[in-house]
Amino acid sequence: MINAMINTLSLQDTAELIREALSSRRFIVMICMCEAQYIGRARSFLEKGERLIVIKEDTSFLIHRPTELEPVNWQPPPNHISISLGENCVILTVRRVRKPERVVVKIYSFKGFFSDKLSDNGSFHMHLSEKEISEILRKHPELIEDGFRIVSTEFREKAGIIDVLGVDAKGRRTIVEIKKDKAGKDAVKQVLRYVREAGTGVRAILLSPNITPEAEKMLRKNGLEFKKISMLELSRIITYEEHSESSMSRFLRGE
Amino acid sequence: MINAMINTLSLQDTAELIREALSSRRFIVMICMCEAQYIGRARSFLEKGERLIVIKEDTSFLIHRPTELEPVNWQPPPNHISISLGENCVILTVRRVRKPERVVVKIYSFKGFFSDKLSDNGSFHMHLSEKEISEILRKHPELIEDGFRIVSTEFREKAGIIDVLGVDAKGRRTIVEIKKDKAGKDAVKQVLRYVREAGTGVRAILLSPNITPEAEKMLRKNGLEFKKISMLELSRIITYEEHSESSMSRFLRGE
């Protein structure tokens, strides 16, 4: 439901409205005048102002100011969320279930309120090229395996171009073949050609979002290995890195 | 303004409503049935579903699904945002101004719409203890200086406990004193005691969010250095890291 008259309701009625939306696990959007205190790994206080508060169906919690991409306060799910009445305000307490962290928000008035179950079964498809994946792995060889060191990417051999050539934690030479789509028998055959050319004692890992049952059987039979990768997580890694880098560079400039 | 009747408007009128809100740089919140395509460092497609779309006053852009803390699509400001009419949908095109990245959203129907200027002048105060800051620096010595290596934290000397003891890129022993609040003359005196005890050839850096003019004068006179730190950026670094780590660990589990 959307409530255009939210600003005419008493705080008590508003609290009741939020409590009801929370108990039926609806998606809640509030545009309101609020202040927020965070106590956890650090402590913070956000003075009064108009902001967007979002409580998702899984209790993910976000407070957004009128500008800036990042939320000013947030808590990952699961949270335990409770409502009470304070002096001239509704008090929203958002406690993380598994960590000693909480945000306490005092809401003084409302400009907008929405709560409803959202229907969203759409899939999210991420496309990264094999070259883009190999660039991410070059920065994060630990994603292949702990202790993995990359020696070369796009290494030319007679049998073709090897995506990643490296050394594992035990010092063994390792070939990594990346497939951005479900890997089939052709991919396994390709890896086998590389391994045969490279000689004995070489490990080979096929890295892809998925593999067909026949390809996996063929792979195991030949002593090769399969490692699943998630395109969405890969894309998140690069995006969060861009954010962290920009935070760090701002930090370094003392901003 | 909040529009409770948004679902009764024609798509043409809705497009006009959004265009008007964009041109007056209002904070826009839409709960709607949409699909989204992203083309940039990677390519992604999000199938149809009900989501929250937020366009901030500085053109920060976010699409949130009903669950999960992170947005599924987002673009940092500045963006150039335009509206057009498609077949049975409103098309929102969000182009980053300085990078070849864009999100194209097709909106088929609306459940909620809000647009207004938000008034938010509240300050955000972040409190981290000196020990917490020193923990962050231990993980990110580059925040002190490029090429900096930390040898020890909370190092006991006769003159007191040195927060961070390290070696700079040129191999010089360096003392780092952290102050979470504005540094005054007392902080400078403390660093001077450490330096005198440590002997010649030792660098000393006072790290804090701010410094009084007298303290800075005293510091320069004695050949010490000052480096500004931002509590907000520090807290963002630790929080984004928690996210990246969890993304990575999910990735490693192949999820």
Side-chain angles (χ1 to χ4, degrees), chain A residues 41 43 51 56 58 65 68 70 74 119-120 122 127 132 239-240, chain B residues 41 43 51 56 58 65 68 70 74 120 122 127 132 239-240:
Chain A
R41 279 162 308 170
R43 290 151 303 287
R51 285 127 200 170
K56 294 193 171 188
D58 62 355
R65 306 191 75 163
E68 284 202 18
E70 294 95 353
W74 65 91
S119 160
D120 183 2
H127 311 281
E132 286 163 332
T239 316
Y240 281 118
Chain B
R41 279 162 307 169
R43 290 150 303 287
R51 286 127 199 170
K56 294 193 172 189
D58 62 355
R65 306 190 74 163
E68 284 202 19
E70 293 96 352
W74 65 91
D120 183 2
H127 311 281
E132 286 163 332
T239 316
Y240 280 118

PDB file of all heavy atoms in Angstrom, chain A residues 41 43 51 56 58 65 68 70 74 119-120 122 127 132 239-240, chain B residues 41 43 51 56 58 65 68 70 74 120 122 127 132 239-240:
ATOM      1  N   ARG A  41      30.915  -1.956  15.244  1.00  0.00           N
ATOM      2  CA  ARG A  41      32.370  -1.961  15.110  1.00  0.00           C
ATOM      3  C   ARG A  41      32.935  -0.564  15.322  1.00  0.00           C
ATOM      4  O   ARG A  41      34.075  -0.377  15.681  1.00  0.00           O
ATOM      5  CB  ARG A  41      32.771  -2.463  13.726  1.00  0.00           C
ATOM      6  CG  ARG A  41      32.760  -3.966  13.624  1.00  0.00           C
ATOM      7  CD  ARG A  41      32.736  -4.343  12.178  1.00  0.00           C
ATOM      8  NE  ARG A  41      31.639  -3.639  11.524  1.00  0.00           N
ATOM      9  CZ  ARG A  41      31.445  -3.597  10.223  1.00  0.00           C
ATOM     10  NH1 ARG A  41      32.284  -4.190   9.425  1.00  0.00           N
ATOM     11  NH2 ARG A  41      30.405  -2.966   9.717  1.00  0.00           N
ATOM     12  N   ARG A  43      31.154   3.710  16.160  1.00  0.00           N
ATOM     13  CA  ARG A  43      29.941   4.377  16.610  1.00  0.00           C
ATOM     14  C   ARG A  43      29.754   5.599  15.730  1.00  0.00           C
ATOM     15  O   ARG A  43      30.719   6.272  15.388  1.00  0.00           O
ATOM     16  CB  ARG A  43      30.082   4.821  18.073  1.00  0.00           C
ATOM     17  CG  ARG A  43      30.086   3.668  19.081  1.00  0.00           C
ATOM     18  CD  ARG A  43      30.889   3.994  20.312  1.00  0.00           C
ATOM     19  NE  ARG A  43      32.265   4.337  19.973  1.00  0.00           N
ATOM     20  CZ  ARG A  43      33.180   3.445  19.576  1.00  0.00           C
ATOM     21  NH1 ARG A  43      32.873   2.168  19.499  1.00  0.00           N
ATOM     22  NH2 ARG A  43      34.395   3.833  19.247  1.00  0.00           N
ATOM     23  N   ARG A  51      15.475  11.941   4.821  1.00  0.00           N
ATOM     24  CA  ARG A  51      16.154  10.827   4.141  1.00  0.00           C
ATOM     25  C   ARG A  51      15.185   9.752   3.683  1.00  0.00           C
ATOM     26  O   ARG A  51      14.030   9.744   4.081  1.00  0.00           O
ATOM     27  CB  ARG A  51      17.149  10.158   5.099  1.00  0.00           C
ATOM     28  CG  ARG A  51      18.390  10.971   5.315  1.00  0.00           C
ATOM     29  CD  ARG A  51      18.638  11.175   6.773  1.00  0.00           C
ATOM     30  NE  ARG A  51      19.513  12.307   7.000  1.00  0.00           N
ATOM     31  CZ  ARG A  51      19.746  12.822   8.198  1.00  0.00           C
ATOM     32  NH1 ARG A  51      19.165  12.326   9.267  1.00  0.00           N
ATOM     33  NH2 ARG A  51      20.535  13.848   8.320  1.00  0.00           N
ATOM     34  N   LYS A  56      13.957  -4.037   3.545  1.00  0.00           N
ATOM     35  CA  LYS A  56      13.584  -5.026   2.538  1.00  0.00           C
ATOM     36  C   LYS A  56      12.883  -6.229   3.163  1.00  0.00           C
ATOM     37  O   LYS A  56      12.837  -6.367   4.382  1.00  0.00           O
ATOM     38  CB  LYS A  56      14.833  -5.458   1.768  1.00  0.00           C
ATOM     39  CG  LYS A  56      15.444  -4.335   0.930  1.00  0.00           C
ATOM     40  CD  LYS A  56      16.460  -4.918  -0.038  1.00  0.00           C
ATOM     41  CE  LYS A  56      16.933  -3.894  -1.034  1.00  0.00           C
ATOM     42  NZ  LYS A  56      17.764  -4.532  -2.083  1.00  0.00           N
ATOM     43  N   ASP A  58      13.769  -9.177   3.417  1.00  0.00           N
ATOM     44  CA  ASP A  58      14.662 -10.048   4.198  1.00  0.00           C
ATOM     45  C   ASP A  58      15.300  -9.282   5.364  1.00  0.00           C
ATOM     46  O   ASP A  58      16.280  -9.735   5.935  1.00  0.00           O
ATOM     47  CB  ASP A  58      15.756 -10.634   3.294  1.00  0.00           C
ATOM     48  CG  ASP A  58      16.645  -9.547   2.688  1.00  0.00           C
ATOM     49  OD1 ASP A  58      16.348  -8.348   2.887  1.00  0.00           O
ATOM     50  OD2 ASP A  58      17.630  -9.887   2.014  1.00  0.00           O
ATOM     51  N   ARG A  65      20.850   9.419   2.128  1.00  0.00           N
ATOM     52  CA  ARG A  65      20.710  10.878   2.140  1.00  0.00           C
ATOM     53  C   ARG A  65      20.327  11.346   0.730  1.00  0.00           C
ATOM     54  O   ARG A  65      20.362  10.552  -0.213  1.00  0.00           O
ATOM     55  CB  ARG A  65      22.031  11.513   2.577  1.00  0.00           C
ATOM     56  CG  ARG A  65      22.523  10.955   3.918  1.00  0.00           C
ATOM     57  CD  ARG A  65      23.674  11.748   4.472  1.00  0.00           C
ATOM     58  NE  ARG A  65      23.183  13.015   5.002  1.00  0.00           N
ATOM     59  CZ  ARG A  65      23.871  13.794   5.839  1.00  0.00           C
ATOM     60  NH1 ARG A  65      25.088  13.446   6.204  1.00  0.00           N
ATOM     61  NH2 ARG A  65      23.363  14.915   6.295  1.00  0.00           N
ATOM     62  N   GLU A  68      24.760  11.281  -2.974  1.00  0.00           N
ATOM     63  CA  GLU A  68      25.774  10.224  -2.799  1.00  0.00           C
ATOM     64  C   GLU A  68      25.209   8.837  -3.074  1.00  0.00           C
ATOM     65  O   GLU A  68      24.134   8.491  -2.632  1.00  0.00           O
ATOM     66  CB  GLU A  68      26.379  10.218  -1.380  1.00  0.00           C
ATOM     67  CG  GLU A  68      27.369  11.321  -1.172  1.00  0.00           C
ATOM     68  CD  GLU A  68      28.335  11.006  -0.024  1.00  0.00           C
ATOM     69  OE1 GLU A  68      28.472   9.837   0.378  1.00  0.00           O
ATOM     70  OE2 GLU A  68      28.953  11.948   0.448  1.00  0.00           O
ATOM     71  N   GLU A  70      26.334   5.874  -1.993  1.00  0.00           N
ATOM     72  CA  GLU A  70      26.313   4.939  -0.871  1.00  0.00           C
ATOM     73  C   GLU A  70      25.313   5.363   0.203  1.00  0.00           C
ATOM     74  O   GLU A  70      25.129   6.544   0.447  1.00  0.00           O
ATOM     75  CB  GLU A  70      27.702   4.841  -0.222  1.00  0.00           C
ATOM     76  CG  GLU A  70      28.760   4.227  -1.096  1.00  0.00           C
ATOM     77  CD  GLU A  70      29.578   5.273  -1.835  1.00  0.00           C
ATOM     78  OE1 GLU A  70      29.224   6.474  -1.767  1.00  0.00           O
ATOM     79  OE2 GLU A  70      30.556   4.888  -2.483  1.00  0.00           O
ATOM     80  N   TRP A  74      23.543   1.364   7.181  1.00  0.00           N
ATOM     81  CA  TRP A  74      22.988   0.156   6.577  1.00  0.00           C
ATOM     82  C   TRP A  74      23.300  -1.027   7.473  1.00  0.00           C
ATOM     83  O   TRP A  74      24.247  -0.987   8.248  1.00  0.00           O
ATOM     84  CB  TRP A  74      23.575  -0.075   5.183  1.00  0.00           C
ATOM     85  CG  TRP A  74      25.036  -0.352   5.186  1.00  0.00           C
ATOM     86  CD1 TRP A  74      25.656  -1.560   5.263  1.00  0.00           C
ATOM     87  CD2 TRP A  74      26.097   0.622   5.138  1.00  0.00           C
ATOM     88  NE1 TRP A  74      27.020  -1.404   5.260  1.00  0.00           N
ATOM     89  CE2 TRP A  74      27.317  -0.084   5.183  1.00  0.00           C
ATOM     90  CE3 TRP A  74      26.132   2.010   5.050  1.00  0.00           C
ATOM     91  CZ2 TRP A  74      28.554   0.560   5.159  1.00  0.00           C
ATOM     92  CZ3 TRP A  74      27.366   2.647   5.024  1.00  0.00           C
ATOM     93  CH2 TRP A  74      28.551   1.924   5.074  1.00  0.00           C
ATOM     94  N   SER A 119       6.818  -8.508  -6.198  1.00  0.00           N
ATOM     95  CA  SER A 119       6.897  -9.775  -6.914  1.00  0.00           C
ATOM     96  C   SER A 119       8.053  -9.697  -7.909  1.00  0.00           C
ATOM     97  O   SER A 119       7.994  -8.952  -8.881  1.00  0.00           O
ATOM     98  CB  SER A 119       5.560 -10.006  -7.623  1.00  0.00           C
ATOM     99  OG  SER A 119       5.728 -10.921  -8.660  1.00  0.00           O
ATOM    100  N   ASP A 120       9.116 -10.423  -7.627  1.00  0.00           N
ATOM    101  CA  ASP A 120      10.317 -10.311  -8.458  1.00  0.00           C
ATOM    102  C   ASP A 120      10.978 -11.676  -8.625  1.00  0.00           C
ATOM    103  O   ASP A 120      11.738 -12.126  -7.770  1.00  0.00           O
ATOM    104  CB  ASP A 120      11.294  -9.320  -7.812  1.00  0.00           C
ATOM    105  CG  ASP A 120      12.533  -9.106  -8.665  1.00  0.00           C
ATOM    106  OD1 ASP A 120      12.613  -9.689  -9.760  1.00  0.00           O
ATOM    107  OD2 ASP A 120      13.415  -8.348  -8.228  1.00  0.00           O
ATOM    108  N   GLY A 122      12.507 -12.323 -11.685  1.00  0.00           N
ATOM    109  CA  GLY A 122      13.380 -12.159 -12.850  1.00  0.00           C
ATOM    110  C   GLY A 122      14.805 -12.578 -12.545  1.00  0.00           C
ATOM    111  O   GLY A 122      15.323 -12.288 -11.475  1.00  0.00           O
ATOM    112  N   HIS A 127      27.282 -10.824 -17.965  1.00  0.00           N
ATOM    113  CA  HIS A 127      28.184 -11.297 -19.013  1.00  0.00           C
ATOM    114  C   HIS A 127      29.545 -10.644 -18.852  1.00  0.00           C
ATOM    115  O   HIS A 127      29.663  -9.426 -18.922  1.00  0.00           O
ATOM    116  CB  HIS A 127      27.623 -10.947 -20.394  1.00  0.00           C
ATOM    117  CG  HIS A 127      26.200 -11.337 -20.553  1.00  0.00           C
ATOM    118  ND1 HIS A 127      25.817 -12.631 -20.809  1.00  0.00           N
ATOM    119  CD2 HIS A 127      25.061 -10.620 -20.444  1.00  0.00           C
ATOM    120  CE1 HIS A 127      24.496 -12.685 -20.870  1.00  0.00           C
ATOM    121  NE2 HIS A 127      24.010 -11.480 -20.650  1.00  0.00           N
ATOM    122  N   GLU A 132      38.052 -10.578 -19.491  1.00  0.00           N
ATOM    123  CA  GLU A 132      37.717  -9.790 -18.296  1.00  0.00           C
ATOM    124  C   GLU A 132      37.856 -10.648 -17.030  1.00  0.00           C
ATOM    125  O   GLU A 132      38.378 -10.199 -16.016  1.00  0.00           O
ATOM    126  CB  GLU A 132      36.291  -9.222 -18.412  1.00  0.00           C
ATOM    127  CG  GLU A 132      36.192  -8.054 -19.392  1.00  0.00           C
ATOM    128  CD  GLU A 132      34.755  -7.742 -19.852  1.00  0.00           C
ATOM    129  OE1 GLU A 132      33.900  -8.656 -19.890  1.00  0.00           O
ATOM    130  OE2 GLU A 132      34.502  -6.585 -20.183  1.00  0.00           O
ATOM    131  N   THR A 239      33.249  -4.138  -8.913  1.00  0.00           N
ATOM    132  CA  THR A 239      32.560  -2.885  -8.622  1.00  0.00           C
ATOM    133  C   THR A 239      32.889  -2.382  -7.231  1.00  0.00           C
ATOM    134  O   THR A 239      33.136  -1.200  -7.029  1.00  0.00           O
ATOM    135  CB  THR A 239      31.048  -3.049  -8.775  1.00  0.00           C
ATOM    136  OG1 THR A 239      30.807  -3.781  -9.960  1.00  0.00           O
ATOM    137  CG2 THR A 239      30.385  -1.699  -8.874  1.00  0.00           C
ATOM    138  N   TYR A 240      32.906  -3.281  -6.236  1.00  0.00           N
ATOM    139  CA  TYR A 240      33.248  -2.830  -4.890  1.00  0.00           C
ATOM    140  C   TYR A 240      34.671  -2.320  -4.846  1.00  0.00           C
ATOM    141  O   TYR A 240      34.986  -1.404  -4.118  1.00  0.00           O
ATOM    142  CB  TYR A 240      33.031  -3.935  -3.851  1.00  0.00           C
ATOM    143  CG  TYR A 240      31.588  -4.049  -3.492  1.00  0.00           C
ATOM    144  CD1 TYR A 240      30.867  -5.207  -3.739  1.00  0.00           C
ATOM    145  CD2 TYR A 240      30.926  -2.961  -2.948  1.00  0.00           C
ATOM    146  CE1 TYR A 240      29.524  -5.279  -3.440  1.00  0.00           C
ATOM    147  CE2 TYR A 240      29.583  -3.024  -2.653  1.00  0.00           C
ATOM    148  CZ  TYR A 240      28.887  -4.185  -2.898  1.00  0.00           C
ATOM    149  OH  TYR A 240      27.566  -4.251  -2.607  1.00  0.00           O
TER     150      TYR A 240
ATOM    151  N   ARG B  41      31.686  -1.879 -18.052  1.00  0.00           N
ATOM    152  CA  ARG B  41      32.853  -2.737 -17.867  1.00  0.00           C
ATOM    153  C   ARG B  41      32.488  -4.198 -18.077  1.00  0.00           C
ATOM    154  O   ARG B  41      33.311  -5.026 -18.393  1.00  0.00           O
ATOM    155  CB  ARG B  41      33.418  -2.558 -16.460  1.00  0.00           C
ATOM    156  CG  ARG B  41      34.289  -1.333 -16.333  1.00  0.00           C
ATOM    157  CD  ARG B  41      34.431  -0.993 -14.898  1.00  0.00           C
ATOM    158  NE  ARG B  41      33.104  -0.902 -14.299  1.00  0.00           N
ATOM    159  CZ  ARG B  41      32.878  -0.814 -13.007  1.00  0.00           C
ATOM    160  NH1 ARG B  41      33.871  -0.849 -12.173  1.00  0.00           N
ATOM    161  NH2 ARG B  41      31.651  -0.693 -12.543  1.00  0.00           N
ATOM    162  N   ARG B  43      28.549  -6.588 -19.048  1.00  0.00           N
ATOM    163  CA  ARG B  43      27.202  -6.406 -19.557  1.00  0.00           C
ATOM    164  C   ARG B  43      26.282  -7.264 -18.704  1.00  0.00           C
ATOM    165  O   ARG B  43      26.637  -8.381 -18.339  1.00  0.00           O
ATOM    166  CB  ARG B  43      27.108  -6.860 -21.022  1.00  0.00           C
ATOM    167  CG  ARG B  43      27.849  -5.958 -22.004  1.00  0.00           C
ATOM    168  CD  ARG B  43      28.354  -6.715 -23.205  1.00  0.00           C
ATOM    169  NE  ARG B  43      29.220  -7.818 -22.820  1.00  0.00           N
ATOM    170  CZ  ARG B  43      30.468  -7.669 -22.364  1.00  0.00           C
ATOM    171  NH1 ARG B  43      30.996  -6.476 -22.247  1.00  0.00           N
ATOM    172  NH2 ARG B  43      31.183  -8.714 -22.008  1.00  0.00           N
ATOM    173  N   ARG B  51      10.618  -3.725  -8.455  1.00  0.00           N
ATOM    174  CA  ARG B  51      11.792  -3.222  -7.733  1.00  0.00           C
ATOM    175  C   ARG B  51      11.632  -1.777  -7.294  1.00  0.00           C
ATOM    176  O   ARG B  51      10.726  -1.092  -7.738  1.00  0.00           O
ATOM    177  CB  ARG B  51      13.031  -3.296  -8.640  1.00  0.00           C
ATOM    178  CG  ARG B  51      13.550  -4.691  -8.816  1.00  0.00           C
ATOM    179  CD  ARG B  51      13.687  -5.014 -10.266  1.00  0.00           C
ATOM    180  NE  ARG B  51      13.743  -6.451 -10.477  1.00  0.00           N
ATOM    181  CZ  ARG B  51      13.667  -7.017 -11.671  1.00  0.00           C
ATOM    182  NH1 ARG B  51      13.526  -6.274 -12.752  1.00  0.00           N
ATOM    183  NH2 ARG B  51      13.703  -8.316 -11.784  1.00  0.00           N
ATOM    184  N   LYS B  56      18.821  10.051  -7.026  1.00  0.00           N
ATOM    185  CA  LYS B  56      19.060  11.084  -6.023  1.00  0.00           C
ATOM    186  C   LYS B  56      19.235  12.462  -6.655  1.00  0.00           C
ATOM    187  O   LYS B  56      19.332  12.585  -7.875  1.00  0.00           O
ATOM    188  CB  LYS B  56      20.291  10.702  -5.197  1.00  0.00           C
ATOM    189  CG  LYS B  56      20.089   9.451  -4.346  1.00  0.00           C
ATOM    190  CD  LYS B  56      21.207   9.336  -3.331  1.00  0.00           C
ATOM    191  CE  LYS B  56      20.949   8.228  -2.336  1.00  0.00           C
ATOM    192  NZ  LYS B  56      21.937   8.273  -1.237  1.00  0.00           N
ATOM    193  N   ASP B  58      21.712  14.309  -6.833  1.00  0.00           N
ATOM    194  CA  ASP B  58      22.978  14.465  -7.568  1.00  0.00           C
ATOM    195  C   ASP B  58      23.079  13.460  -8.721  1.00  0.00           C
ATOM    196  O   ASP B  58      24.157  13.233  -9.253  1.00  0.00           O
ATOM    197  CB  ASP B  58      24.167  14.296  -6.618  1.00  0.00           C
ATOM    198  CG  ASP B  58      24.211  12.897  -5.994  1.00  0.00           C
ATOM    199  OD1 ASP B  58      23.269  12.107  -6.223  1.00  0.00           O
ATOM    200  OD2 ASP B  58      25.174  12.590  -5.275  1.00  0.00           O
ATOM    201  N   ARG B  65      16.329  -4.851  -5.502  1.00  0.00           N
ATOM    202  CA  ARG B  65      15.353  -5.935  -5.542  1.00  0.00           C
ATOM    203  C   ARG B  65      14.705  -6.069  -4.156  1.00  0.00           C
ATOM    204  O   ARG B  65      15.171  -5.447  -3.204  1.00  0.00           O
ATOM    205  CB  ARG B  65      16.049  -7.242  -5.944  1.00  0.00           C
ATOM    206  CG  ARG B  65      16.829  -7.099  -7.260  1.00  0.00           C
ATOM    207  CD  ARG B  65      17.309  -8.427  -7.775  1.00  0.00           C
ATOM    208  NE  ARG B  65      16.174  -9.168  -8.330  1.00  0.00           N
ATOM    209  CZ  ARG B  65      16.300 -10.213  -9.152  1.00  0.00           C
ATOM    210  NH1 ARG B  65      17.501 -10.644  -9.490  1.00  0.00           N
ATOM    211  NH2 ARG B  65      15.243 -10.831  -9.628  1.00  0.00           N
ATOM    212  N   GLU B  68      18.169  -8.603  -0.281  1.00  0.00           N
ATOM    213  CA  GLU B  68      19.614  -8.355  -0.402  1.00  0.00           C
ATOM    214  C   GLU B  68      19.972  -6.897  -0.131  1.00  0.00           C
ATOM    215  O   GLU B  68      19.323  -5.992  -0.608  1.00  0.00           O
ATOM    216  CB  GLU B  68      20.159  -8.728  -1.792  1.00  0.00           C
ATOM    217  CG  GLU B  68      20.306 -10.202  -1.981  1.00  0.00           C
ATOM    218  CD  GLU B  68      21.317 -10.539  -3.083  1.00  0.00           C
ATOM    219  OE1 GLU B  68      22.142  -9.693  -3.447  1.00  0.00           O
ATOM    220  OE2 GLU B  68      21.258 -11.668  -3.548  1.00  0.00           O
ATOM    221  N   GLU B  70      22.661  -5.203  -1.131  1.00  0.00           N
ATOM    222  CA  GLU B  70      23.244  -4.461  -2.248  1.00  0.00           C
ATOM    223  C   GLU B  70      22.234  -4.220  -3.358  1.00  0.00           C
ATOM    224  O   GLU B  70      21.388  -5.061  -3.626  1.00  0.00           O
ATOM    225  CB  GLU B  70      24.438  -5.228  -2.845  1.00  0.00           C
ATOM    226  CG  GLU B  70      25.624  -5.351  -1.931  1.00  0.00           C
ATOM    227  CD  GLU B  70      25.627  -6.674  -1.174  1.00  0.00           C
ATOM    228  OE1 GLU B  70      24.615  -7.412  -1.261  1.00  0.00           O
ATOM    229  OE2 GLU B  70      26.619  -6.951  -0.499  1.00  0.00           O
ATOM    230  N   TRP B  74      23.476  -0.039 -10.353  1.00  0.00           N
ATOM    231  CA  TRP B  74      23.720   1.281  -9.756  1.00  0.00           C
ATOM    232  C   TRP B  74      24.703   2.034 -10.622  1.00  0.00           C
ATOM    233  O   TRP B  74      25.476   1.419 -11.368  1.00  0.00           O
ATOM    234  CB  TRP B  74      24.270   1.138  -8.332  1.00  0.00           C
ATOM    235  CG  TRP B  74      25.614   0.492  -8.272  1.00  0.00           C
ATOM    236  CD1 TRP B  74      26.829   1.106  -8.309  1.00  0.00           C
ATOM    237  CD2 TRP B  74      25.892  -0.919  -8.188  1.00  0.00           C
ATOM    238  NE1 TRP B  74      27.832   0.173  -8.250  1.00  0.00           N
ATOM    239  CE2 TRP B  74      27.297  -1.063  -8.181  1.00  0.00           C
ATOM    240  CE3 TRP B  74      25.093  -2.056  -8.112  1.00  0.00           C
ATOM    241  CZ2 TRP B  74      27.914  -2.317  -8.105  1.00  0.00           C
ATOM    242  CZ3 TRP B  74      25.712  -3.294  -8.043  1.00  0.00           C
ATOM    243  CH2 TRP B  74      27.099  -3.420  -8.033  1.00  0.00           C
ATOM    244  N   ASP B 120      18.271  18.208   4.038  1.00  0.00           N
ATOM    245  CA  ASP B 120      19.137  17.421   4.913  1.00  0.00           C
ATOM    246  C   ASP B 120      20.477  18.123   5.119  1.00  0.00           C
ATOM    247  O   ASP B 120      21.391  18.023   4.309  1.00  0.00           O
ATOM    248  CB  ASP B 120      19.359  16.034   4.293  1.00  0.00           C
ATOM    249  CG  ASP B 120      20.201  15.138   5.186  1.00  0.00           C
ATOM    250  OD1 ASP B 120      20.577  15.572   6.289  1.00  0.00           O
ATOM    251  OD2 ASP B 120      20.478  13.995   4.778  1.00  0.00           O
ATOM    252  N   GLY B 122      21.977  17.774   8.240  1.00  0.00           N
ATOM    253  CA  GLY B 122      22.534  17.141   9.438  1.00  0.00           C
ATOM    254  C   GLY B 122      23.940  16.628   9.201  1.00  0.00           C
ATOM    255  O   GLY B 122      24.224  16.065   8.147  1.00  0.00           O
ATOM    256  N   HIS B 127      32.713   7.806  15.054  1.00  0.00           N
ATOM    257  CA  HIS B 127      33.683   7.635  16.135  1.00  0.00           C
ATOM    258  C   HIS B 127      34.357   6.278  16.022  1.00  0.00           C
ATOM    259  O   HIS B 127      33.700   5.253  16.084  1.00  0.00           O
ATOM    260  CB  HIS B 127      32.990   7.727  17.494  1.00  0.00           C
ATOM    261  CG  HIS B 127      32.107   8.919  17.612  1.00  0.00           C
ATOM    262  ND1 HIS B 127      32.592  10.181  17.861  1.00  0.00           N
ATOM    263  CD2 HIS B 127      30.766   9.057  17.454  1.00  0.00           C
ATOM    264  CE1 HIS B 127      31.585  11.041  17.876  1.00  0.00           C
ATOM    265  NE2 HIS B 127      30.468  10.388  17.630  1.00  0.00           N
ATOM    266  N   GLU B 132      40.998   0.944  16.983  1.00  0.00           N
ATOM    267  CA  GLU B 132      40.305   0.523  15.764  1.00  0.00           C
ATOM    268  C   GLU B 132      40.994   1.102  14.520  1.00  0.00           C
ATOM    269  O   GLU B 132      41.177   0.418  13.518  1.00  0.00           O
ATOM    270  CB  GLU B 132      38.829   0.952  15.814  1.00  0.00           C
ATOM    271  CG  GLU B 132      37.990   0.110  16.776  1.00  0.00           C
ATOM    272  CD  GLU B 132      36.652   0.753  17.167  1.00  0.00           C
ATOM    273  OE1 GLU B 132      36.538   1.999  17.178  1.00  0.00           O
ATOM    274  OE2 GLU B 132      35.728  -0.003  17.481  1.00  0.00           O
ATOM    275  N   THR B 239      33.778  -1.323   6.123  1.00  0.00           N
ATOM    276  CA  THR B 239      32.487  -1.912   5.790  1.00  0.00           C
ATOM    277  C   THR B 239      32.499  -2.530   4.407  1.00  0.00           C
ATOM    278  O   THR B 239      31.990  -3.618   4.198  1.00  0.00           O
ATOM    279  CB  THR B 239      31.379  -0.859   5.888  1.00  0.00           C
ATOM    280  OG1 THR B 239      31.582  -0.120   7.069  1.00  0.00           O
ATOM    281  CG2 THR B 239      30.029  -1.521   5.935  1.00  0.00           C
ATOM    282  N   TYR B 240      33.097  -1.830   3.428  1.00  0.00           N
ATOM    283  CA  TYR B 240      33.157  -2.415   2.093  1.00  0.00           C
ATOM    284  C   TYR B 240      33.980  -3.685   2.103  1.00  0.00           C
ATOM    285  O   TYR B 240      33.705  -4.614   1.382  1.00  0.00           O
ATOM    286  CB  TYR B 240      33.708  -1.416   1.068  1.00  0.00           C
ATOM    287  CG  TYR B 240      32.644  -0.457   0.644  1.00  0.00           C
ATOM    288  CD1 TYR B 240      32.762   0.903   0.868  1.00  0.00           C
ATOM    289  CD2 TYR B 240      31.473  -0.930   0.059  1.00  0.00           C
ATOM    290  CE1 TYR B 240      31.758   1.776   0.509  1.00  0.00           C
ATOM    291  CE2 TYR B 240      30.462  -0.070  -0.300  1.00  0.00           C
ATOM    292  CZ  TYR B 240      30.602   1.280  -0.077  1.00  0.00           C
ATOM    293  OH  TYR B 240      29.604   2.127  -0.423  1.00  0.00           O
TER     294      TYR B 240
END
